[in-house]
Amino acid sequence: MMNEETVVGGLYQLKGAIGSPYSMKMRAVLRYRRIPFVWEGGMAGFVAAQSMKAKVVPVLVTPEGEAFNDSTALIALLEARHPAVRSLVPTDAALGFLSLLLEDFADEWLAKAMYAYRWARPVDQAQMSRWLAFDALRGEGAIRIEEQAQAWRERQVSRRDLVGAGEAAQPVLEASADRIMAALDRQVVEVGYLFGRRPSAADFAFYGQLSQLATDPTPQGLMRAHYPWLYRWVQTTEDLSGEPEGPWDVTLDTPCLRLLLTECATHYLPYSAANAAAVASGEPMFQYGADGGVLTQAANRYQAKCLWALVQAFAALDARDQARLVPLLTETGCLPYLLKTVDTEAAA
Ligand SMILES: N[C@@H](CCC(=O)N[C@@H](CS)C(=O)NCC(=O)O)C(=O)O
């Protein structure tokens, strides 16, 4: 007779939460890649995260029982372990670099908008704190769930400034999310995914954040009203296990890539460079300019490492691929941020 251990044994276990963008990103990746796994919601992710160096979900446990986290590293681990089919990395190295850059942009910048929308307005705070508590504690009774909801609501609202999603940043983040969604809404209709009829790591990173924006009351309303195709794309991207393995488009310069890279150069990369400078000089707080104003945020070592990883990935491209990317990266404004500087290296 099979017990639970024999069923789970030999499979990956993904421990996360449906209210966590990175958990949804990884669940969609495993499904698309047809890698058999068991999804564990509830408290499993929070418990597993406690024994990790960075205490974040999702946590992926391999069939051999080793635990890892950080979605970007998890995607790389799965690429190394399962290289043959349904890879998320475009075969063209220049496109592969753009996928890394846009994955990071979605994970680290669109994430701020997601946080801002979830924790700014009472309607979103109330609904989502309750649902997150329900997801973790369902069946444990309304009192326990409401208490947990209240505790999480207070904690997350109090962290808005720390994560760069405070009052002053709110309009900047909302306007940026709007431009990102507008670009993606057209792309999913005209092409399907960012780099052709096949999803990349960057598509799944956008999917993760959008899965939350498509659930929380305020941004869900906006998406349904203004970006209905993208809203529906989120629902289809949740499970692409039956999607054929489509071709990559080899066009480097598309309207959608241009819009997203311009947004990246206008907001995320200047922010990230200012963060790296603060980390390098040991400043706890830093300021950066956005939409004519000045925003303040706590320095973040992890994001300094993200920027350094991008700088290194660009440097590792061969001269021909770099030359193919230079016009697009120059015209959109990204290039200066992708070259090695004293700060980006010191901060990492
Ligand atoms: N860079 C990580 C970020 C993961 C992350 O921030 N997860 C959030 C939930 S979506 C978390 O666990 N936060 C812990 C906390 O808020 O204490 C990744 O890509 O997986």
Side-chain angles (χ1 to χ4, degrees), residues 116-159:
Y117 267 122
R118 180 163 290 176
W119 302 113
R121 298 174 179 84
V123 62
D124 300 288
Q125 292 172 3
Q127 177 71 83
M128 296 317 297
S129 60
R130 286 194 174 115
W131 276 356
L132 298 185
F134 171 79
D135 296 343
L137 300 170
R138 57 196 183 278
E140 292 197 21
I143 293 176
R144 175 94 180 80
I145 290 170
E146 289 287 354
E147 277 171 5
Q148 187 63 67
Q150 193 54 33
W152 276 343
R153 179 174 176 170
E154 280 164 23
R155 174 184 189 266
Q156 298 298 79
V157 172
S158 77
R159 284 166 54 96

Side-chain angles (χ1 to χ4, degrees), residues 221-235:
L222 286 172
M223 279 182 88
R224 292 180 84 114
H226 301 292
Y227 307 115
W229 305 118
L230 186 62
Y231 179 80
R232 197 63 174 163
W233 178 89
V234 169
Q235 294 178 336

Side-chain angles (χ1 to χ4, degrees), residues 19-23 25 55-58 69-72 107-108 155-156 159 302:
S20 148
Y22 308 95
S23 300
K25 174 186 175 189
K55 303 197 182 322
V56 293
V57 294
N69 63 2
D70 190 320
S71 61
T72 303
D107 282 350
E108 304 303 327
R155 174 184 189 266
Q156 298 298 79
R159 284 166 54 96
Y302 174 79

Side-chain angles (χ1 to χ4, degrees), residues 31-258:
R31 285 175 171 168
Y32 168 69
R33 297 211 62 203
R34 297 183 180 160
I35 296 171
F37 72 103
V38 170
W39 164 254
E40 289 185 34
M43 287 302 288
F46 300 102
V47 173
Q50 292 320 305
S51 26
M52 306 299 291
K53 187 162 166 249
K55 303 197 182 322
V56 293
V57 294
V59 173
L60 183 73
V61 181
T62 65
E64 297 79 32
E66 265 193 293
F68 299 93
N69 63 2
D70 190 320
S71 61
T72 303
L74 292 178
I75 288 177
L77 177 86
L78 293 171
E79 290 289 328
R81 288 175 63 111
H82 308 276
V85 287
R86 302 172 79 82
S87 165
L88 304 184
V89 183
T91 37
D92 177 324
L95 288 175
F97 172 76
L98 293 181
S99 172
L100 263 187
L101 174 58
L102 292 176
E103 180 186 2
D104 192 57
F105 174 56
D107 282 350
E108 304 303 327
W109 180 260
L110 189 56
K112 288 182 190 295
M114 183 257 129
Y115 198 99
Y117 267 122
R118 180 163 290 176
W119 302 113
R121 298 174 179 84
V123 62
D124 300 288
Q125 292 172 3
Q127 177 71 83
M128 296 317 297
S129 60
R130 286 194 174 115
W131 276 356
L132 298 185
F134 171 79
D135 296 343
L137 300 170
R138 57 196 183 278
E140 292 197 21
I143 293 176
R144 175 94 180 80
I145 290 170
E146 289 287 354
E147 277 171 5
Q148 187 63 67
Q150 193 54 33
W152 276 343
R153 179 174 176 170
E154 280 164 23
R155 174 184 189 266
Q156 298 298 79
V157 172
S158 77
R159 284 166 54 96
R160 283 172 66 206
D161 281 322
L162 183 76
V163 302
E167 213 53 50
Q170 190 78 24
V172 174
L173 295 172
E174 290 188 4
S176 183
D178 196 65
R179 288 186 292 269
I180 293 169
M181 290 193 286
L184 292 173
D185 193 64
R186 277 194 65 80
Q187 182 74 2
V188 301
V189 172
E190 302 298 336
V191 182
Y193 303 100
L194 289 168
F195 303 104
R197 297 188 62 84
R198 170 175 183 145
S200 65
D203 289 278
F204 287 106
F206 281 109
Y207 162 74
Q209 303 301 327
L210 292 168
S211 70
Q212 307 305 306
L213 292 167
T215 301
D216 297 16
T218 300
Q220 185 197 55
L222 286 172
M223 279 182 88
R224 292 180 84 114
H226 301 292
Y227 307 115
W229 305 118
L230 186 62
Y231 179 80
R232 197 63 174 163
W233 178 89
V234 169
Q235 294 178 336
T236 59
T237 304
E238 181 176 350
D239 188 348
L240 294 176
S241 56
E243 186 93 334
E245 190 174 6
W248 298 111
D249 183 355
V250 291
T251 321
L252 270 185
D253 194 345
T254 66
C256 179
L257 289 178
R258 228 162 228 274

